Amino acid sequence: MKITIFYVFIFLSSIIVAQDYNKLDADGKRHGKWLKKYDGTDQTRYEGTFEHGKEVGEFKFYKPTSGDIPTAIKIFSKDNDSVLVKYYSSKGKVISQGKMIGKIREGEWKYYHNDSDQLMMVEHYKNDKLDGEQRTYFDNGQLTEKTAYKNGKREGKRLIYSEEGKLIKEFTYENDLLHGMTRYYDTEGQLQIEGNYKRNKKDGVWKYYKDGKLDEQKLFPLQKKG
């Protein structure tokens, strides 16, 4: 008898909970707590709160096989279209996080090494295009690359470092093309090669060093023989 009463209580509780979800306002817009499941399954697709058709506060999103671990959590602003986003791995680790305006990336975005809290990359966006400095890191936290972007294209310096923190490559870009001084260094930081690019092509005198001393020079574009 006690067992029967217990299951009746659980059943009635589930009905009451269900009645608190997925309601519409007088205009037929979603209002209040919503929980959507994948068709034909008991797997939650998303859960969150609407105010007269607009997402507000925290929403959790799931994949068909993710169980109770969300693959994304989005926090919607009540006053504008700003959304704070975090994407998660199957183990519940943050993969990336940043801000969106509607469906457009804006401002700083961070990415993490696989199933780790270690930062892998930081990017900056303006109207869903890379704009500003992009930094990439080894899994030991050492900076591996730093690149300047403007309106989605490389513009300015791109610097590449060894795992020990030595600068090994230095490029200059204009409108996403190699344009300007380029330098290569060995693992000890000694200059090996330097020269200029013009619209992705080597231009002018390129210098080649050996043991820190000038060893050879070449003039580009190379002159055809004969």
Side-chain angles (χ1 to χ4, degrees):
M1 182 67 177
K2 289 182 179 179
I3 294 175
T4 302
I5 294 173
F6 172 76
Y7 280 112
V8 170
F9 174 77
I10 293 296
F11 176 71
L12 292 175
S13 297
S14 65
I15 293 176
I16 293 171
V17 170
Q19 288 176 344
D20 287 336
Y21 282 80
N22 300 6
K23 293 183 177 181
L24 303 176
D25 65 10
D27 296 319
K29 296 179 180 179
R30 287 174 286 188
H31 188 67
K33 295 179 180 179
W34 269 69
L35 189 150
K36 182 75 171 178
K37 295 182 180 292
Y38 285 96
D39 291 340
T41 75
D42 197 43
Q43 173 62 53
T44 300
R45 184 174 179 179
Y46 72 82
E47 56 183 328
T49 302
F50 288 88
E51 283 195 10
H52 304 291
K54 185 185 187 308
E55 300 100 327
V56 294
E58 183 179 87
F59 269 69
K60 293 181 179 180
F61 297 84
Y62 304 83
K63 287 184 177 179
T65 57
S66 67
D68 60 355
I69 298 176
T71 56
I73 293 178
K74 299 182 179 181
I75 300 177
F76 294 84
S77 172
K78 183 177 180 180
D79 303 318
N80 52 51
D81 293 329
S82 175
V83 186
L84 298 178
V85 184
K86 285 186 179 181
Y87 293 103
Y88 293 85
S89 71
S90 59
K91 296 180 180 180
K93 288 285 188 180
V94 178
I95 298 172
S96 61
Q97 61 180 349
K99 177 183 175 182
M100 302 184 81
I101 305 296
K103 296 182 178 181
I104 294 174
R105 287 170 293 183
E106 194 73 34
E108 183 179 84
W109 273 75
K110 293 180 179 180
Y111 304 83
Y112 298 86
H113 284 281
N114 190 35
D115 289 324
S116 169
D117 296 326
Q118 187 64 51
L119 189 64
M120 181 181 72
M121 184 165 61
V122 178
E123 296 180 329
H124 295 85
Y125 285 88
K126 188 174 182 180
N127 197 28
D128 211 36
K129 292 182 179 180
L130 285 168
D131 198 277
E133 193 171 77
Q134 179 195 70
R135 287 175 172 254
T136 308
Y137 299 87
F138 290 106
D139 55 12
N140 67 359
Q142 176 64 48
L143 180 68
T144 178
E145 185 172 335
K146 182 168 60 175
T147 306
Y149 281 86
K150 186 176 182 180
N151 197 30
K153 297 180 179 181
R154 286 170 290 191
E155 187 76 28
K157 292 292 183 181
R158 178 188 176 200
L159 305 176
I160 299 175
Y161 300 86
S162 71
E163 202 162 354
E164 292 72 36
K166 297 284 188 181
L167 178 64
I168 55 176
K169 296 178 184 179
E170 178 183 348
F171 303 101
T172 307
Y173 285 86
E174 185 179 288
N175 197 31
D176 218 31
L177 300 176
L178 283 166
H179 191 78
M181 183 56 65
T182 292
R183 293 186 176 94
Y184 295 87
Y185 304 85
D186 64 19
T187 54
E188 299 301 318
Q190 271 199 336
L191 182 63
Q192 289 186 311
I193 303 170
E194 65 177 343
N196 194 68
Y197 273 97
K198 188 174 182 180
R199 307 297 181 200
N200 260 3
K201 294 182 180 180
K202 289 181 178 179
D203 182 71
V205 177
W206 276 64
K207 298 178 180 180
Y208 301 82
Y209 297 85
K210 189 174 182 180
D211 298 326
K213 296 180 180 180
L214 183 62
D215 182 62
E216 184 182 3
Q217 296 187 91
K218 290 183 181 180
L219 180 63
F220 290 90
L222 294 172
Q223 302 296 320
K224 293 183 180 180
K225 293 183 179 180

